[in-house]
Amino acid sequence: MIKPSLGYNAAMSTTTNPGLHLLGATREDLLAFMAKRGYKSAHAFSLFKAIHRGHLLDFTHLDSLPLTLRQHLASDFPCSPPKVLHTHTATDGTQKYLIALNDGSAIETVFIPEPSRGTLCVSSQVGCALNCDFCATGKQGFSRNLTAAEIIAQIWIATREHTITNVVFMGMGEPLLNLEHVIPAISILLDDCAYNLSKYTVTVSTAGLIPQMQQLAQQTEVSLALSLHAPNDLLRTQLMPINKKYPLLELMAVCKNYFKHPKRKILFEYILIDGVNDTDALAHELAQLLTDVPAKINLIPFNPIAHSGYQRSTDARIKVFQTILRDHGFKTFVRKTRGPLIDAACGQLKGDFIEKTKRRA
Ligand code: SAH
């Protein structure tokens, strides 16, 4: 149930690199565009499929569209495919793309192959304003929101080389601070004429912004991951300044009723940092906090970043922490670290940009 909040004007009107802006147009945007210019709705479907399934942004030879429409598109939306500056592939097959944006900054996107699926970890902002203490993106500050086109460009690029079965908004940025563009991007990801993903295989990860979580739940049914990292306010605020604004009691109240379907669960992410948040007592406290919350837990071994002073918990400690949570009855997994040598693991994405805005948290 997606209700795109953008009309085609908002999605397609910016003058810089208009070819890119077609990438962010939802099916509804294109239908409105065609109707306004007197073209058939079938042409909107052809165009939408050509862009996302056919990887086309130059429609000169797309004979299924009338010549006048092709000329119209060529003049209003000249072709300009997104540009990949670099790709790095790790020995485990994880591939990191550095993608150029029009303003000279760059963002990172990571493809993670697994035997039964291909996951793409996408960025939603250039930088991040939340300044979490353990995250390389946060340490760089914030520049701007990505447009829907810039979000979709990431999957458009990756699907040329890989089969993508899952998309996670766990790259650079806080997706819930960019719902204006994340919601139409989700609509394109789920559209069966585009990437045809399901609400179960698209996951938005958030640091826990309460009003925006409520808005997201109203507008889409995609999966939700919540970065928790501590079971009490004192420690969580130290690690994640946003916790001051949205403390745990209020956050858990929203989580309890987030999904209407009784079987759906929120994925709680918990980074394990040596001696900081990985004791037995904190594992029990976490279990206590999540009592009555439909939860599954993903433990993430901390990925080292420069100047943080934090270390990864030992494997033995991670195992004990996991066992305690399992004994409390929670489905608990340990996330396998992928692509660390190419700095493609969680929290290591930095991109390349100039900070423009003061952090907001
Ligand atoms: N802002 C969103 C999404 C981006 S971060 C959020 O907070 O969820 C995606 C995941 O990577 C989050 O769970 C985040 O806490 C985690 N992460 C950040 N830095 C990390 C690090 N150094 N090691 C391991 N995981 C990290």
Side-chain angles (χ1 to χ4, degrees):
M1 176 198 41
I2 295 276
K3 295 179 202 144
S5 56
L6 283 180
Y8 82 89
N9 280 332
M12 297 161 71
S13 66
T14 316
T15 47
T16 50
N17 199 350
L20 260 187
H21 291 279
L22 268 185
L23 274 178
T26 63
R27 185 203 287 227
E28 291 76 15
D29 292 334
L30 288 182
L31 282 167
F33 174 85
M34 295 297 173
K36 198 167 173 196
R37 284 159 182 78
Y39 294 111
K40 289 188 207 147
S41 56
H43 296 139
F45 290 105
S46 294
L47 182 60
F48 194 62
K49 277 190 190 161
I51 294 169
H52 300 289
R53 297 263 184 98
H55 286 103
L56 277 187
L57 284 176
D58 175 357
F59 312 105
T60 324
H61 305 294
L62 189 63
D63 296 339
S64 59
L65 297 183
L67 187 60
T68 51
L69 174 57
R70 281 182 268 157
Q71 286 165 342
H72 199 152
L73 290 168
S75 62
D76 284 8
F77 303 103
C79 143
S80 185
K83 195 166 154 206
V84 178
L85 292 172
H86 287 296
T87 69
H88 280 97
T89 306
T91 45
D92 65 3
T94 301
Q95 186 175 0
K96 182 167 81 168
Y97 297 88
L98 186 67
I99 299 171
L101 305 178
N102 293 317
D103 62 0
S105 50
I107 49 159
E108 295 185 325
T109 302
V110 181
F111 172 70
I112 306 153
E114 282 166 292
S116 60
R117 59 185 175 186
T119 302
L120 194 70
C121 178
V122 297
S123 296
S124 56
Q125 296 184 310
V126 186
C128 185
L130 296 185
N131 197 18
C132 296
D133 208 30
F134 44 77
C135 179
T137 309
K139 293 285 170 207
Q140 275 194 312
F142 175 70
S143 176
R144 67 174 176 85
N145 283 337
L146 293 183
T147 63
E150 288 166 334
I151 296 170
I152 292 299
Q154 299 170 63
I155 185 159
W156 191 86
I157 286 168
T159 47
R160 286 189 302 195
E161 296 182 284
H162 305 286
T163 301
I164 307 291
T165 59
N166 295 61
V167 169
V168 293
F169 284 81
M170 294 184 187
M172 296 167 67
E174 168 52 51
L176 266 57
L177 286 176
N178 185 18
L179 281 180
E180 181 193 1
H181 299 112
V182 165
I183 295 283
I186 289 173
S187 155
I188 298 170
L189 292 175
L190 300 190
D191 198 306
D192 55 7
C193 287
Y195 301 98
N196 198 22
L197 296 172
S198 89
K199 61 186 179 187
Y200 304 108
T201 59
V202 173
T203 303
V204 175
S205 181
T206 179
L209 292 96
I210 291 177
Q212 289 87 345
M213 283 168 68
Q214 288 163 329
Q215 192 188 337
L216 186 74
Q218 275 168 11
Q219 296 198 284
T220 124
E221 293 178 339
V222 293
S223 302
L224 186 77
L226 196 140
S227 294
L228 198 55
H229 310 322
N232 61 62
D233 284 322
L234 192 68
L235 183 55
R236 193 164 190 265
T237 302
Q238 179 193 322
L239 295 173
M240 304 175 71
I242 191 70
N243 189 70
K244 238 181 288 166
K245 197 165 178 184
Y246 302 117
L248 285 171
L249 196 66
E250 292 166 36
L251 192 54
M252 289 306 116
V254 175
C255 290
K256 275 180 193 157
N257 302 307
Y258 186 83
F259 286 116
K260 286 188 202 81
H261 196 287
K263 287 210 169 135
R264 291 194 77 185
K265 291 184 164 65
I266 295 176
L267 180 70
F268 286 88
E269 298 168 280
Y270 194 102
I271 300 177
L272 284 166
I273 309 174
D274 186 35
V276 174
N277 66 351
D278 64 351
T279 62
D280 288 5
L282 288 170
H284 289 293
E285 200 178 346
L286 177 59
Q288 199 65 40
L289 180 77
L290 295 178
T291 313
D292 300 332
V293 178
K296 48 191 176 176
I297 301 168
N298 204 337
L299 300 175
I300 312 173
F302 171 69
N303 293 313
I305 60 161
H307 315 300
S308 74
Y310 293 138
Q311 306 292 330
R312 171 179 297 195
S313 305
T314 62
D315 288 350
R317 184 91 298 272
I318 293 172
K319 192 87 212 135
V320 173
F321 204 90
Q322 180 184 30
T323 305
I324 293 173
L325 293 169
R326 284 191 167 164
D327 289 348
H328 278 281
F330 290 98
K331 271 200 171 140
T332 309
F333 309 95
V334 178
R335 187 178 293 173
K336 210 170 148 214
T337 303
R338 303 295 300 260
L341 294 177
I342 58 166
D343 276 354
C346 300
Q348 293 184 318
L349 302 187
K350 292 204 296 269
D352 188 9
F353 62 92
I354 297 165
E355 181 181 3
K356 290 185 189 145
T357 313
K358 291 244 174 293
R359 294 183 176 113
R360 266 180 281 169

